[in-house]
Amino acid sequence: MKPLTELEIRASFVNSTKGEAKRMHVPRDLGDRPWDDLDFLGWTDPAAPDRSYLVAELDGRLVGIALRRAAQAGRARKTMCAWCLTTHSGDGVSLMTARKAGKSGQLGNSVGVYVCADLACSLYLRGKKSAGPGSRFKEAITLGEQVERMLAGVNAFVERVCS
């Protein structure tokens, strides 16, 4: 992913008002992010851990999505991310929901997906971050194919939010 500026990030959000996008906490370490290893930008709001944000490229344009992290219920168990297929114990995978863009979102419609709670899927795929022993299984496909599969899932989610 190419490095992004705060202005580009704020302007990309499709399911937030301009005021919400202006008030959101954008990471202060944009210059230090491992952009070459990222396929999308994802982060959690440090002031509100139930809020996360995703910025991905879809059809050549940046699309930002505000997410809500569902509260964890029940006992800890292993769960797999739908995008990068990393298995996490405890609350490492969360249901992230996003209000749909436009009129549909204004009517209260939303979509959700179970993904890595820290949205670091790109780093898990590349072995730059670990969720612990046994969290990634050996695959017969190349890293490039794994990235394509992950991006297909991310893009499908983004398209569902935008439709």
Side-chain angles (χ1 to χ4, degrees), residues 17-30:
T17 65
K18 287 183 182 178
E20 289 169 335
K22 187 176 181 180
R23 290 186 301 273
M24 76 176 53
H25 288 82
V26 174
R28 298 186 191 277
D29 65 345
L30 290 175

Side-chain angles (χ1 to χ4, degrees), residues 46-154:
D50 65 327
R51 285 190 205 137
S52 294
Y53 304 97
L54 165 76
V55 178
E57 202 170 310
L58 180 67
D59 298 329
R61 70 180 179 106
L62 285 180
V63 178
I65 297 174
L67 303 162
R68 289 283 183 175
R69 181 177 174 178
Q72 298 292 341
R75 61 190 169 111
R77 60 183 167 163
K78 288 193 174 263
T79 313
M80 184 180 282
C81 172
W83 292 343
C84 67
L85 305 184
T86 299
T87 303
H88 295 267
S89 296
D91 62 353
V93 170
S94 293
L95 173 62
M96 298 281 193
T97 58
R99 181 175 64 214
K100 291 191 79 163
K103 184 125 179 122
S104 182
Q106 293 169 357
L107 295 173
N109 295 316
S110 63
V111 295
V113 64
Y114 283 92
V115 294
C116 295
D118 60 4
L119 296 170
C121 300
S122 298
L123 301 179
Y124 290 119
L125 272 185
R126 289 170 174 80
K128 306 283 183 174
K129 191 168 185 177
S130 175
S135 62
R136 297 276 315 147
F137 54 89
K138 284 232 185 257
E139 294 194 64
I141 62 175
T142 67
L143 174 61
E145 291 168 325
Q146 291 174 51
V147 169
E148 285 179 30
R149 180 185 59 210
M150 178 187 65
L151 285 175
V154 172

Side-chain angles (χ1 to χ4, degrees), residues 1 4 8-16 24 39-43 53-67 83 98-101 154-163:
M1 178 170 217
L4 302 176
E8 289 173 311
I9 292 168
R10 290 188 191 282
S12 71
F13 281 82
V14 297
N15 68 340
S16 302
M24 76 176 53
D39 303 295
F40 61 86
L41 176 64
W43 74 97
Y53 304 97
L54 165 76
V55 178
E57 202 170 310
L58 180 67
D59 298 329
R61 70 180 179 106
L62 285 180
V63 178
I65 297 174
L67 303 162
W83 292 343
R99 181 175 64 214
K100 291 191 79 163
V154 172
N155 290 340
F157 179 74
V158 170
E159 287 172 351
R160 286 177 42 216
V161 170
C162 294
S163 65

